[in-house]
Amino acid sequence: MANTKIIQQKELQVGEVAAKLRESSCTVVADYRGLNVAQVTELRKQLREAGIEFQVIKNSLTRRATAQTDLSELDEHLTGPTAIAFSKDDVVAPAKILTAFAKKNDALEVKGGVVEGRVVGYDQIKALADLPSREGLLSMLLSVLQAPVRNFALAVKAVSEKQEA
């Protein structure tokens, strides 16, 4: 009787992890071995402020969830103590926060993750972390869109000044 309760509880946990893997736009897997309590608390605080869920989940449960979601390639990153960051909205934020934290704290090792339903390795997570923020990208786009109008206005002004002279 107790075994069936435990099995049902674990199946529920696997279903929750599978749902998070499906719903998240970016999932980052990291090895947190060697971080002290204060460091983990600081990391959790940074992630929570960005709206990112950070959990330590047993690798066996995560493997079952990846099998349900056709993300079995992620299993190669599920070795040792593993923490997983799930972000539903922002694709760049978890990669940025975890990579920046790993630079300051050698004990944290980013292993890989899932971006928009595709399993990626550390190199792709690092490349994602190096991208400018959403606001930075929007400001770059805005300046590119404004450049032709600004150049046209300067040309018209130069022509009018030349005709006045």
Side-chain angles (χ1 to χ4, degrees), residues 40-89:
V40 172
T41 304
E42 175 61 27
L43 177 60
R44 284 183 186 274
K45 180 181 173 231
Q46 289 178 19
L47 291 167
R48 188 174 35 255
E49 288 172 355
I52 300 164
E53 188 177 345
F54 188 68
Q55 288 185 310
V56 175
I57 304 169
K58 290 181 89 175
N59 290 336
S60 58
L61 295 177
T62 307
R63 282 189 188 97
R64 289 178 186 216
T66 59
Q68 286 182 9
T69 56
D70 295 328
L71 296 171
S72 299
E73 297 168 32
L74 187 63
D75 292 353
E76 70 184 64
H77 302 295
L78 300 175
T79 56
T82 304
I84 304 174
F86 299 99
S87 175
K88 290 182 181 179
D89 303 323

Side-chain angles (χ1 to χ4, degrees), residues 24-28 91 95 113-120 124-125 128:
S24 69
S25 59
C26 182
T27 303
V28 179
V91 177
V114 180
V115 178
E116 299 290 336
R118 206 177 101 237
V119 176
V120 296
Q124 290 93 345
I125 295 291
L128 191 62

Side-chain angles (χ1 to χ4, degrees), residues 117-134:
R118 206 177 101 237
V119 176
V120 296
Y122 170 74
D123 295 335
Q124 290 93 345
I125 295 291
K126 178 140 179 33
L128 191 62
D130 292 340
L131 286 175
S133 67
R134 182 177 190 274

Side-chain angles (χ1 to χ4, degrees), residues 28-32 35 39 43 46 94-111 122 125-126 129:
V28 179
V29 177
D31 183 345
Y32 65 95
L35 291 178
Q39 291 170 322
L43 177 60
Q46 289 178 19
K96 237 183 211 327
I97 293 169
L98 286 168
T99 304
F101 196 86
K103 284 181 186 174
K104 295 176 190 169
N105 302 285
D106 292 336
L108 182 72
E109 177 193 346
V110 177
K111 298 179 184 180
Y122 170 74
I125 295 291
K126 178 140 179 33

